[in-house]
Amino acid sequence: MSTKLNELQNATVGMTVGVIEVLCLQPFNYCKNMIQQGQPLSFDPRKLYRGVGANAINMGSCTMIQFSVGGSLKKMVLGGEDRQLKTHEEMGTGIAAGVVSALVGSPLELIMIQQQRKGGNSVETFKSIATPNNFLRGFIGAAVREGLWTCGYLSIPPIVRRNLREMYPDKFDSDAKARVPAALLGGLFACYLTQPFDTVKTCMQGDIERETYGTYTETAKKISQDGFTAFYRGATFRYGRMVCAVFMMDTLQQMVGPLLYPNAFK
């Protein structure tokens, strides 16, 4: 989310980056979701990419919102000043943008998870679950996760890159060299702080019949019966996806913006 772009431009860049990330990393998401719910894995490409349409719309829409809202908030915080955002400002704008995006992302993830479990296309799945009670299912977990995830990929990498280049200018003499450790730290932050919330959300959305998992609190208690580590089922696949995603999105947002809107970066 660049302060050099307006809301529409930031939204376009975000949507483009989000869709590219999903098309590349959907198998990680499938494996994570299945393990969290205790379902068997399949390496059939048709199943690995089941729900990819809903997820592409999800990530494209969420990243579009995150870039647009985050960019607007950054401009608001800066108030026209020509300076770098402070660490708490950078993180706060990322968290706020992520929470807003969950309003769109949570229902779309519900469709994807139902497809992954039961098959069918996005339209059929939407028709079968299209009630307000279902669409809000798992929203709390999604909001917390998206807030911290957005902070992890939009706020942490610039902070880490900037600090590495200032503290170790000989070793990190370009953003490209500082991007790998920034992605590792951003992915670590985004994954392991948010994993318990994501696990509760995924289990709730996989069980819309409420046969095993009820409310958010009931679901968390049910999962905790298997020990604290149960909240981290699928974390390996999620961390792998997040490190790749943070690296890709950190790289792509700096490439796509100038490519689509070169005049804004002159």
Side-chain angles (χ1 to χ4, degrees):
M1 49 187 180
S2 174
T3 55
K4 296 180 179 179
L5 301 177
N6 62 37
E7 287 76 9
L8 178 60
Q9 291 169 333
N10 266 318
T12 304
V13 172
M15 180 179 64
T16 304
V17 169
V19 170
I20 292 172
E21 184 269 326
V22 165
L23 295 178
C24 293
L25 303 179
Q26 175 70 8
F28 284 91
N29 207 18
Y30 162 81
C31 292
K32 185 271 298 181
N33 286 339
M34 292 297 102
I35 291 174
Q36 283 177 320
Q37 299 171 82
Q39 299 295 310
L41 289 178
S42 169
F43 293 99
D44 182 339
R46 292 170 298 180
K47 292 186 177 180
L48 287 172
Y49 274 87
R50 184 181 282 171
V52 69
N55 200 27
I57 296 171
N58 169 31
M59 281 301 293
S61 302
C62 282
T63 313
M64 176 179 69
I65 293 168
Q66 290 158 6
F67 273 51
S68 179
V69 172
S72 298
L73 291 174
K74 282 186 174 183
K75 290 179 182 177
M76 191 184 303
V77 170
L78 288 172
E81 296 179 51
D82 185 15
R83 64 173 177 85
Q84 294 278 3
L85 285 170
K86 297 175 182 177
T87 299
H88 70 276
E89 293 171 339
E90 190 90 57
M91 296 180 71
T93 55
I95 290 171
V99 171
V100 172
S101 73
L103 291 167
V104 173
S106 184
L108 288 168
E109 283 195 16
L110 173 65
I111 294 172
M112 176 191 68
I113 288 171
Q114 285 293 305
Q115 276 187 269
Q116 288 176 338
R117 287 202 62 168
K118 301 173 183 177
N121 61 46
S122 297
V123 176
E124 292 170 347
T125 304
F126 174 80
K127 288 179 180 178
S128 69
I129 63 175
T131 68
N133 195 34
N134 282 336
F135 269 21
L136 292 176
R137 189 158 173 78
F139 172 75
I140 294 174
V144 175
R145 185 205 63 194
E146 284 302 312
L148 294 175
W149 152 245
T150 307
C151 180
Y153 87 84
L154 278 182
S155 303
I156 299 296
I159 293 169
V160 174
R161 282 202 320 270
R162 188 163 60 242
N163 285 324
L164 287 175
R165 295 199 63 183
E166 289 174 359
M167 295 170 66
Y168 308 101
D170 293 334
K171 188 171 184 179
F172 297 102
D173 56 0
S174 69
D175 277 350
K177 290 182 179 179
R179 186 164 282 123
V180 172
L184 290 171
L185 288 172
L188 188 67
F189 176 92
C191 178
Y192 286 97
L193 280 182
T194 63
Q195 180 71 13
F197 300 99
D198 183 71
T199 298
V200 174
K201 179 208 72 74
T202 300
C203 290
M204 289 179 69
Q205 292 186 330
D207 182 25
I208 58 172
E209 297 80 12
R210 295 162 174 78
E211 294 176 357
T212 304
Y213 303 109
T215 64
Y216 188 89
T217 303
E218 290 168 347
T219 302
K221 287 181 179 178
K222 178 72 174 176
I223 295 170
S224 69
Q225 291 175 2
D226 293 329
F228 182 72
T229 56
F231 288 102
Y232 283 87
R233 291 173 185 153
T236 302
F237 284 106
R238 189 160 181 252
Y239 180 59
R241 179 213 163 198
M242 283 191 165
V243 169
C244 295
V246 169
F247 182 85
M248 287 177 62
M249 295 172 108
D250 188 35
T251 304
L252 287 170
Q253 68 171 312
Q254 293 191 1
M255 294 172 58
V256 174
L259 187 65
L260 294 179
Y261 307 106
N263 291 334
F265 292 85
K266 286 182 178 178

